[in-house]
Every structure is written in structure tokens, then in C-alpha cells.
Amino acid sequence: QSNQFCEAGIGYSEAGCGISSSTKLLIKGGTVVNAHHQEVADVYVEDGIIFAVKPNLKVGDDVKVIDATGKFVMPGGIDPHTHLAMEFMGTESVDDFFSGQAAALAGGTTMHIDFVIPVNGSLIAGLEAYEEKAKKSCMDYGFHMAITKFDDIVSRDMEIVVKEKGINSFKFFLAYKGALMVNDELLLEGLKRCKSLGALAMVHAENGDAVFEGQKRMIQLGITGPEGHALSRPPVLEGEATARAIRLAGFVNTPLYVVHVMSIDAMEEIAKARKSGQRVVGEPVVSGLVLDDSGLWDSDFATASKYVMSPPIRASGHGKALQGALSNGVLQLVGTDHCAFNSTQKAFGIDDFRKIPNGVNGIEERMHLVWDTMVESGQISITDFVRVTSTECARIFNIYPRKGAIIAGSDADIIILNPNSSFEINARSHHSRTDTNVYEGRRGKGKIEVTIAGGRVVWENNEVKVVPGSGKYIETPPYNYLFSGIDKADASYLSSLNAPVKRSESTTSSGRHSY
Ligand SMILES: NC(=O)NCCC(=O)O
Ligand SMILES: [Zn+2]
Ligand SMILES: [Zn+2]
């Protein structure tokens, strides 16, 4: 592999890395794009913060100047959905908080939010384990927390992680029976607790009991290869779980975030709920937007197994519909679900698709693929590109405008994209530790030539320059914008319950209402 990045302990010292020590930067003459506006302007950065965004800024000789004429200067991507060093299906995803983040930076993503998995149901033990994993971070990151059981201790610990540990979102897996899956009773308890804490509930929406049944059917039919994965968990099971989670969140009146929306079935449930005014966020992932399930039928196991993720990559047609939903606002932001396993790990399931570790790469490829698929094709504007890859994530997880914006006072997480250059993806040159890439051979227009994270140039001239330990944990505060006014909806619900009682109290002796 020609992967190039500095990692202390494997042959490079910090000084030898050529890490930019400049704390002052001027990005000159580019088109600065925010989610709401674009203009030609210079961007001046000092000590990791954007100081000024104005045309024709003058600076001293001690400032590193980057010419961005003819290019787009945009907020670094924020990936809302990753699994670095995740222990899952008897193994651990190969990209850790260093290699996964180095890959992210090479692809223009400057922050991600990873899922803490509890240890034997304990949130605090899980968080401690992830804090340890994240010590080698080279870019900013936040955490979501998965909930895998519910009791008084979990309820108390949810409050601790929100109020003291800076986590504002909890994920419930409705799939992975016998492992991470929760039932409806637990989901309801969790939704209520999320609401009381102003925390966002997230769901992996597939009916885990039905998937289990689907898997048994496949094995009985003698279908043991990777295609059995897709056949055992069809879109209807994703649609059912999405609808159920939406209805239960509506019953509790708390906002809901549906992760990795992969099918028309799930997307249409989200569209219906949003149309009715319910606070539901839908997150497609890049694999669901740009791939189809044909790879799962490849006769070569190594090729087919690399596409195994859950919910499965769907038949062609679903991806196109998800792209449409992203462009018309039914879906709001794009994640990756980056959970990379190498071909040795994928081969655990050579005789039985149920044992193939679920997950695909994407943290490095997301920005380029969304640009090429959505902007180059004319489906979304450049400002919308910024919104779906960065700003909306910052808003939902309540860190805007510190993140997700190029304005004075924001963190200096910035990318420079050349729309006239092109990218090509392959496992030989990617920065992930996995030996395969589900986007192998893809080319497209638009190349992220420079990534600046925390005010330092970390990707330039096709080289990543980072050191472990330089990334910061970003706390995400509760009560994001989705919660505003939610108490008013509660009040009107309660008054609607009271109404018949009042009526019967004021009913006249003739049985007629007095009003
Ligand atoms: N998606 C997947 O296949 N693996 C990661 C875990 C999850 O998000 O379900
Ligand atoms: Zn999931
Ligand atoms: Zn995931």
C-alpha cells in the first residue's frame, strides 16, 4: 500500500512529519460556501479559529497563504455515523481512531461522531473503553451512546452521560437479535428517558425477530453465501421497524433520528411522518445512495462479502429514490456507517453469511461521492452540499456554528475543493486499513485538495500529515432545535385528553352539552 501518513511509533517523529506548525493561515480568493450563502472571499485563520471572512484581506509575512482561486472553500465534513475500533460479531473493525480519522481527513471530513457500545449493558464502562480508544485521535470527534438494556442504573447513567459527559444522543438497535437488539418495551422506556433529558433518540430500524426468521429460511433453502444476507432482511423489514419506531416516538412525542436509511420503504415512512409534522430526521449513508446490491451476487466470496452491511445495500432503484429524498429534504444529512473489516475478517462467514462481519468503508469517500453523485449531476446546489455533509449534522448535534460553518469565530475546519480536478478510489491508495474498498475503481469530478483541521493543514499534495493525540473530544449539548416547542405539543395533547372530562362535567341534565 502507498498509504502515507505519519504515525508516531511507526517510523516517523512529529518533527519529521512536516506537520504544519503555522498557526496563521490565509485562504485567498476562493468561493466560500456556507449552507445559507456563497461569496468570493478570503478566510483568515489564527490559533485554530476562523478570524475573518472578507474579500481582499491583507496579512503579514508570517502567515501561510493558500491560493484558492477558482475553488470552493467549505466547512470540513462531519460524519454523523461511524464505528471505529468497534467490537462486533466476534471481531473488531480495522480502522481505529487514528487510521479511520487519517482516512477521513484525506477525504475532507474533519469531525465524526462514533457510537459508544456499552460493556455488559454498562454505559459508563462502555464510555471508559471508548475514551481509551479515542486517545490516539488526530481529528475532532464526538460520541453517541448505544442503549442495549434498561434499568434504574442505565436510566441514571443516561443522565450522567448527558449532563456530565457531553453526549446528547442515544441509539437503539431494533436488529441484531441476541446481541445489541432491544424490544419495544425497552425502546419505549428509552424514548421516554431521552425526552426527559433533551437527548436525541436514534434507531437502527430493522425488525430483528423477522430478520432472524429470514436467516433461518435462507439456511433451510441452502443459501449460505453473501446474497443470503440481502434475501434474509428485505426492505419490508426495514420499513416495518422504521414505521414502528416513528409511531412510538410520536406516542412519546420525542424527536427521532433514523440512521442508515437504505430503502424506499423506510424513506417513505419518514416522508409521511415529516409531512404530518412529526420531528423525524432521516440519514442516508453513502453506500445506500451510490451502490446497488449486485455485488452481493458476485461469485467471488471476497468480492461479494465486502458489500455485507445492515440494513443491506438494496436493489437499484432504492439508491436513486434516496438521492431524490436527499435533494427534496425528506432526508437531511449523509453519514457513512464506516465500519471496515478486512477480507480475512469477512471470511469468517465463508460457509454462512450470518457470520460475515457487517460493515463497509466510506469515511474517506463520502465527500467526493456526494459531490459527484449529487452536485455534479445537478441534484443539489453547492450550498446544499455543505448542508447535507456538514452544517445539518452540526445543527442536529447542537455544535453549530462552532462546527459546520465558515464564519468568524468558528473552528478552522476547512476544505478546499477543486471542481475541475477529479478523484479516483481504490484500495491501493486509500488510507483505511482495510484491504478492500466497496467503491473500488470509482472516479468522479471534484477533488478535495486541501483539508485544514483545527487550523492546521493536514491534507495537501495527496499527503496526510497528522499525529496521534491531536484530536479533541467535542461535547454535544442536549436540547437541540428539534426540541424547541415540544412542550407546547405535550400541553395540547394533555388538554385534548382533558376535553371530554370537562364536557361530561358540564353536560346538562338533558344530556346536552352546555357549550
Ligand atoms: N451497519 C453495519 O452493517 N455495521 C455497523 C453496525 C450498525 O450500524 O448496524
Ligand atoms: Zn446500524
Ligand atoms: Zn452504524
Side-chain angles (χ1 to χ4, degrees):
Q1 296 219 343
S2 66
N3 298 351
Q4 291 180 347
F5 51 79
C6 304
E7 185 167 13
I10 52 166
Y12 297 91
S13 67
E14 182 165 351
C17 282
I19 302 283
S20 158
S21 58
S22 173
T23 55
K24 297 176 181 175
L25 286 175
L26 182 71
I27 305 162
K28 248 201 124 27
T31 300
V32 176
V33 188
N34 279 300
H36 58 284
H37 180 64
Q38 65 182 69
E39 61 176 333
V40 174
D42 300 343
V43 181
Y44 178 62
V45 168
E46 208 176 295
D47 290 331
I49 304 291
I50 296 170
F51 255 70
V53 184
K54 278 193 186 133
N56 303 316
L57 287 169
K58 302 275 176 281
V59 291
D61 291 346
D62 58 334
V63 177
K64 176 180 161 92
V65 179
I66 303 173
D67 182 12
T69 310
K71 302 176 186 175
F72 295 109
V73 179
M74 302 186 277
I78 310 175
D79 189 338
H81 187 158
T82 61
H83 302 279
L84 301 182
M86 182 196 192
E87 285 158 45
F88 188 45
M89 299 185 72
T91 184
E92 185 172 312
S93 59
V94 279
D95 279 322
D96 62 15
F97 277 75
F98 184 75
S99 68
Q101 293 182 351
L105 292 167
T109 287
T110 52
M111 180 178 167
H112 70 114
I113 314 183
D114 210 88
F115 290 88
V116 172
I117 306 297
V119 173
N120 298 324
S122 163
L123 311 195
I124 303 301
L127 184 56
E128 282 168 4
Y130 272 75
E131 283 169 343
E132 195 55 39
K133 291 176 200 262
K135 279 188 178 153
K136 54 174 78 162
S137 287
C138 56
M139 77 181 200
D140 290 358
Y141 62 94
F143 285 139
H144 313 287
M145 171 69 73
I147 300 294
T148 52
K149 73 172 197 185
F150 196 87
D151 56 22
D152 289 347
I153 295 170
V154 171
S155 178
R156 181 203 64 197
D157 289 351
M158 285 175 77
E159 181 165 6
I160 291 172
V161 304
V162 171
K163 293 189 175 161
E164 296 171 26
K165 306 289 184 187
I167 296 178
N168 71 2
S169 43
F170 294 98
K171 179 175 177 186
F172 301 88
F173 288 91
L174 308 187
Y176 305 128
K177 186 177 165 79
L180 301 168
M181 181 173 135
V182 302
N183 62 20
D184 287 354
E185 184 185 3
L186 194 155
L187 176 62
L188 261 174
E189 289 299 338
L191 290 169
K192 286 193 293 181
R193 191 68 178 127
C194 281
K195 179 178 176 148
S196 74
L197 295 167
L200 184 59
M202 310 173 84
V203 277
H204 171 136
E206 286 184 289
N207 186 315
D209 288 316
V211 167
F212 187 70
E213 167 64 22
Q215 291 174 329
K216 274 196 304 197
R217 278 190 206 165
M218 289 308 121
I219 298 298
Q220 276 160 10
L221 290 169
I223 300 172
T224 58
E227 73 279 18
H229 178 74
L231 293 169
S232 65
R233 43 207 312 156
V236 64
L237 303 189
E238 190 187 343
E240 185 279 333
T242 305
R244 181 161 36 101
I246 286 173
R247 281 158 178 74
L248 294 182
F251 179 59
V252 173
N253 187 29
T254 198
L256 183 72
Y257 181 114
V258 184
V259 305
H260 48 42
V261 177
M262 298 294 281
S263 64
I264 294 173
D265 306 49
M267 179 269 286
E268 285 183 341
E269 294 297 339
I270 293 166
K272 204 161 63 180
R274 287 177 63 86
K275 202 167 163 200
S276 77
Q278 198 176 330
R279 298 155 200 240
V280 179
V281 172
E283 171 211 81
V285 288
V286 68
S287 52
L289 288 170
V290 311
L291 298 174
D292 66 42
D293 66 351
S294 52
L296 284 160
W297 268 262
D298 198 291
S299 55
D300 173 42
F301 175 84
T303 303
S305 61
K306 75 179 177 180
Y307 296 102
V308 168
M309 67 167 287
S310 294
I313 296 164
R314 305 297 185 186
S316 63
H318 287 271
K320 192 70 198 142
L322 297 177
Q323 290 172 24
L326 183 64
S327 68
N328 66 26
V330 165
L331 303 174
Q332 291 76 43
L333 72 169
V334 182
T336 61
D337 199 6
H338 183 88
C339 188
F341 296 103
N342 61 32
S343 38
T344 309
Q345 293 171 304
K346 290 279 183 181
F348 294 165
I350 189 121
D351 297 321
D352 182 345
F353 67 84
R354 295 172 298 181
K355 297 186 182 146
I356 301 170
N358 288 197
V360 300
N361 64 294
I363 201 167
E364 184 168 356
E365 295 80 9
R366 178 183 72 126
M367 299 289 278
H368 282 121
L369 289 171
V370 173
W371 179 271
D372 189 54
T373 308
M374 301 301 296
V375 181
E376 281 296 333
S377 67
Q379 294 188 85
I380 62 172
S381 65
I382 301 169
T383 49
D384 280 344
F385 172 79
V386 169
R387 179 174 55 77
V388 302
T389 58
S390 181
T391 311
E392 190 55 26
C393 183
R395 289 184 70 228
I396 290 170
F397 296 100
N398 228 359
I399 49 174
Y400 181 85
R402 176 178 178 186
K403 301 287 186 189
I406 305 222
I407 53 178
S410 297
D411 285 0
D413 296 338
I414 301 168
I415 58 171
I416 302 176
L417 182 144
N418 183 348
N420 298 315
S421 191
S422 55
F423 68 87
E424 184 179 342
I425 299 170
N426 56 64
R428 263 178 297 106
S429 62
H430 72 198
H431 295 78
S432 164
R433 287 202 182 119
T434 184
D435 55 350
T436 63
N437 192 312
V438 290
Y439 308 104
E440 186 70 31
R442 288 215 171 214
R443 298 156 194 262
K445 268 196 87 183
K447 164 116 169 97
I448 293 155
E449 294 182 335
V450 178
T451 304
I452 296 160
R456 291 199 315 190
V457 178
V458 291
W459 167 251
E460 197 179 25
N461 303 321
N462 291 322
E463 226 187 308
V464 184
K465 295 173 179 169
V466 284
V467 274
S470 54
K472 289 189 302 294
Y473 175 58
I474 305 294
E475 295 198 4
T476 56
Y479 292 104
N480 67 9
Y481 77 90
L482 293 162
F483 282 87
S484 65
I486 209 152
D487 45 344
K488 295 200 180 85
D490 282 337
S492 79
Y493 172 67
L494 285 174
S495 70
S496 78
L497 294 181
N498 285 339
V501 180
K502 276 198 196 123
R503 261 200 297 278
S504 65
E505 278 167 0
S506 57
T507 300
T508 62
S509 54
S510 68
R512 294 170 68 91
H513 296 301
S514 60
Y515 52 90

